[in-house]
Amino acid sequence: MVWCFSLWRTMKTASGNTSIMDMFEEGKVVKMCAPMVRYSKLAFRSLVRKYSCDVCFTPMIIAADFLRSVKARDSEFTTNKSDRPLIVQFAAQDPQTLADAACVVAPFSDGVDLNCGCPQRWAMSAGYGACLINKPELVEDMVRHVRNQVDNPDYTVSIKIRIHKDLRQTVDLCQKAESAGVSWITVHGRTTEERHQPVHYDAIKTIKDSVSVPVIANGDIKYLRDVESTHQHTGVNGVMAARGLLANPAMFAGYEDTPLQCIWDWVDIAVEQGTPFSCFHHHLIYMLERVSSQPERKVFNSLSSTSAVIDYLQNTYGSIHDPDTQICPF
């Protein structure tokens, strides 16, 4: 059963979930699915959880709109009882709005994350995202407000940041957030001006060495081997992947490319949850990109209905349940 916000008032809070902070204490490298606009919604979170993803984030939600509009709450925040551990990421520009939004979602999630890393011009001009890395006192106040107002000591409050050219500024930001009670910090190892340049792993290591709270590394995690190499290089407590999981939702389970079982798992989940066709199709386009030829991609990308997609997959690759499919073609 899928829960939209308007249904939750009659639902009991999910319980018995593994604490995220306990995961860090166990010494494992915690594997996280990043907040991705349009993509890290419930159906995709359900898929990656089947393939060794430990923690999932919602897409970024603008806290003020979420509080103001029932329509925004119903469309932006959908979950179910299996969707845990779950972190809700908010974009906010003032402490009380963030705290109010956190109080609303706290019974149905395991933590909130403040987006301090989105480099898009619209977000920064509105006072959201990466512009906050230049306002450390405000970030400190926002973290403290959530800490003081959510009546659950196990509820986590995290921030996701980009780095400064002068790393001393980033360290100062992280230490201020730590003093306010931040649970952990996710570091995308690029500046706000950088897009596809190499990740600054040394910068992530410096931040990790400068705080006592867990640090998560984000950027260029494309294969399971990248998880271990990033951990070895930086000493981080976890990693977060975005594009790597879009291309291969089974990446954290050790698959080099998307396995056929994962493709059909996505079909089953998307159909069951009523995922809109555009989202359903776009995810498959990402999943098939590395494992199909250019002519195959051209045909697949032109398909315009769920039934056409399912027929294509069946005819091209076969069903995972088909006894004639002896070897996975992927």
Side-chain angles (χ1 to χ4, degrees), residues 7-230:
L7 298 177
W8 291 346
R9 297 163 200 162
T10 60
M11 298 290 185
K12 290 184 178 180
T13 302
S15 60
N17 297 289
T18 302
S19 163
I20 299 173
M21 301 312 293
D22 287 346
M23 293 182 186
F24 294 131
E25 291 296 327
E26 291 166 3
K28 66 183 290 186
V29 182
V30 179
K31 299 184 285 293
M32 298 186 174
C33 178
M36 294 176 280
V37 175
R38 293 185 300 276
Y39 292 118
S40 53
K41 294 190 175 183
L42 175 60
F44 189 67
R45 299 196 301 264
S46 302
L47 180 66
V48 296
R49 290 185 194 281
K50 292 174 68 73
Y51 292 92
S52 301
C53 183
D54 298 313
V55 179
C56 289
F57 280 58
T58 68
M60 181 185 76
I61 300 170
I62 297 176
D65 294 345
F66 184 78
L67 293 170
R68 188 182 305 121
S69 164
V70 173
K71 182 178 179 180
R73 292 195 288 276
D74 283 345
S75 64
E76 295 296 329
F77 187 18
T78 304
T79 188
N80 62 26
K81 64 181 180 180
S82 301
D83 188 29
R84 308 292 283 268
L86 177 65
I87 304 299
V88 182
Q89 190 190 66
F90 284 114
Q93 56 187 201
D94 71 274
Q96 193 57 55
T97 298
L98 178 63
D100 288 345
C103 289
V104 170
V105 300
F108 317 103
S109 58
D110 300 277
V112 291
D113 183 80
L114 174 63
N115 186 315
C116 303
C118 179
Q120 294 186 35
R121 198 168 300 171
W122 73 265
M124 295 180 66
S125 64
Y128 302 133
C131 73
L132 292 176
I133 66 173
N134 297 316
K135 302 175 181 180
E137 289 80 12
L138 175 59
V139 172
E140 181 181 14
D141 200 17
M142 293 169 91
V143 169
R144 186 172 284 115
H145 264 67
V146 177
R147 265 278 165 256
N148 291 340
Q149 294 183 38
V150 173
D151 188 23
N152 178 357
D154 295 325
Y155 198 69
T156 65
V157 186
S158 56
I159 61 174
K160 185 173 187 291
I161 67 171
R162 283 185 173 238
I163 61 173
H164 298 84
K165 290 181 180 178
D166 181 353
L167 201 59
R168 290 173 297 182
Q169 293 178 265
T170 316
V171 169
D172 176 64
L173 167 69
C174 293
Q175 291 176 340
K176 281 185 167 61
E178 180 178 20
S179 70
V182 80
S183 304
W184 78 81
I185 299 167
T186 302
V187 182
H188 184 114
R190 295 184 174 98
T191 67
T192 55
E193 293 79 22
E194 295 174 327
R195 294 297 184 269
H196 304 294
Q197 291 87 341
V199 172
H200 300 284
Y201 291 108
D202 289 343
I204 297 176
K205 183 179 188 305
T206 297
I207 294 165
K208 170 61 182 170
D209 292 342
S210 302
V211 294
S212 59
V213 296
V215 172
I216 310 300
N218 176 223
D220 286 356
I221 304 295
K222 298 177 180 177
Y223 299 94
L224 185 60
R225 58 180 176 270
D226 297 332
V227 174
E228 184 56 32
S229 63
T230 300

Side-chain angles (χ1 to χ4, degrees), residues 38-39 41 43-44 266 275-284:
R38 293 185 300 276
Y39 292 118
K41 294 190 175 183
F44 189 67
W266 171 244
T275 300
F277 175 75
S278 60
C279 180
F280 168 69
H281 191 211
H282 284 158
H283 273 295
L284 286 168

